[in-house]
Amino acid sequence: MLSEIIDGIAVVINSIFGDEIEIYKDNVTQGLKEPCFFVAILKPEVTPLIGTRSVRNNSFDIQYFPKESNTEMLDVAEKLINTLEFITLLNGDILHGTGVSYEIIDNVLHFFISYNLTMIKVTDKTNMETLETDISVKKG
């Protein structure tokens, strides 16, 4: 599920900035071309609910490595705020982004957003075979 969310984020970023800005989904040790984006998963959490349901909190840090200045990073942050509010997964599901914030650290924009969803675990149920009842009315 996380890789599907990352793909949905990448599709939205690509629709805004085009193919000239690279979007990295995996760690890059060498050869990072600026400007570029790196989508990192922070700390996914699963909270069980009643029955077979659970809530998955998926927090992301979308890092932007600029070519030039802070002004460029602020423009990118505004565009991300306006466009990552909703993402569409490849299967058509739409997720709403929450907890949006950003900061600039060491000339890198860190854009934080969470996509939380409720999941239902599919389980095989063993139903009762048959049940016979005898119902009658008592007199009096």
Side-chain angles (χ1 to χ4, degrees):
M1 176 57 73
L2 288 173
S3 63
E4 294 172 14
I5 296 173
I6 291 172
D7 289 341
I9 292 170
V11 166
V12 172
I13 292 173
N14 191 342
S15 70
I16 301 165
F17 298 100
D19 293 333
E20 58 270 357
I21 297 181
E22 189 72 31
I23 302 168
Y24 296 100
K25 301 174 192 175
D26 297 318
N27 289 336
V28 178
T29 54
Q30 293 180 350
L32 187 79
K33 290 184 183 179
E34 297 172 347
C36 65
F37 287 95
F38 176 70
V39 181
I41 303 165
L42 290 179
K43 185 180 174 189
E45 295 179 5
V46 178
T47 304
L49 298 175
I50 295 174
T52 59
R53 297 181 315 134
S54 63
V55 174
R56 293 192 181 191
N57 300 318
N58 304 303
S59 300
F60 294 90
D61 178 7
I62 302 168
Q63 300 169 22
Y64 176 69
F65 297 89
K67 194 168 193 171
E68 299 190 14
S69 65
N70 281 351
T71 306
E72 178 187 355
M73 287 187 282
L74 295 175
D75 291 342
V76 168
E78 286 300 318
K79 288 178 183 177
L80 292 176
I81 286 173
N82 293 328
T83 55
L84 287 176
E85 181 178 4
F86 292 96
I87 63 168
T88 303
L89 303 181
L90 298 178
N91 65 4
D93 291 344
I94 298 173
L95 297 180
H96 182 252
T98 59
V100 177
S101 65
Y102 66 89
E103 63 183 342
I104 297 172
I105 301 172
D106 295 331
N107 203 33
V108 175
L109 171 68
H110 293 267
F111 184 86
F112 303 103
I113 191 164
S114 296
Y115 293 100
N116 307 326
L117 58 143
T118 303
M119 302 292 289
I120 299 174
K121 187 181 214 179
V122 179
T123 59
D124 292 333
K125 292 183 180 180
T126 305
N127 296 326
M128 293 174 34
E129 298 279 326
T130 58
L131 177 65
E132 294 181 20
T133 60
D134 183 23
I135 300 174
S136 59
V137 179
K138 289 185 179 181
K139 291 186 178 180

